[in-house]
Amino acid sequence: MTESIPRAGGASTRTTTTSTTITPTTTVSSPARLADETAQGKTTIAASVVQKIAGIAAREISGVHSLGGGVSRAFGALRERIPGGGAGTTNIAGVQVEVGEKQAAIDLDIVVEYGASIVELARAVRRNVITAVERMTGLEVIEVNIAVNDIHLPEIEAAEAIPAPVTPRVE
């Protein structure tokens, strides 16, 4: 492209040549939201879906032993033993969510493997949960609060798994 630029106080002009390179661009549109309403229909996402996604994403990180504190794990184990209690339940142990039209807030209670760096583990869990929920639902995750409630010690679990020798009380 050539353009003429008039100079102050005279008839002289300066000619400059510039080239334009056209490259493919990617347009980033906003992701679908909780209440995505278009001419073709409306999409809503249940809070239980966000809860499950967050729970699965948290468990994917190495160093997370389980989700939930002792009480919530005990109730979860009890609920699974009741016929029909574990199927279709919307309460994932250790995962609480608040879901709005465009945003979600997530609270996680986790049990960490002994030896794992809790600070680094929390960062990794937070990053993975935010990525998974935002990618799958389109909701903006405004916060992921992580509470570490316990540390899993493998040698204690192994000791509990070995039954104590039974001595007869009567002969």
Side-chain angles (χ1 to χ4, degrees), residues 128-139:
N128 202 46
V129 168
I130 290 170
T131 301
V133 171
E134 287 183 348
R135 181 180 54 83
M136 293 180 72
T137 67
L139 293 168

Side-chain angles (χ1 to χ4, degrees), residues 2-94:
T2 304
E3 63 180 319
S4 295
I5 302 172
R7 303 200 50 118
S12 63
T13 62
R14 179 180 64 173
T15 303
T16 59
T17 304
T18 58
S19 62
T20 305
T21 305
I22 300 174
T23 58
T25 59
T26 303
T27 304
V28 179
S29 62
S30 63
R33 298 295 182 202
L34 181 67
D36 185 26
E37 193 166 354
T38 65
Q40 289 84 25
K42 182 178 180 180
T43 302
T44 57
I45 301 168
S48 62
V49 172
V50 176
Q51 192 177 34
K52 286 180 184 180
I53 293 168
I56 292 168
R59 284 188 200 99
E60 288 176 344
I61 303 301
S62 178
V64 174
H65 176 69
S66 61
L67 295 175
V71 175
S72 65
R73 286 186 308 201
F75 280 126
L78 180 63
R79 189 173 39 245
E80 288 176 4
R81 289 190 177 116
I82 299 171
T89 183
T90 60
N91 188 16
I92 305 298

Side-chain angles (χ1 to χ4, degrees), residues 104-117:
I106 301 167
D107 297 325
L108 300 171
D109 295 328
I110 65 173
V111 177
V112 176
E113 292 286 347
Y114 178 77
S117 169

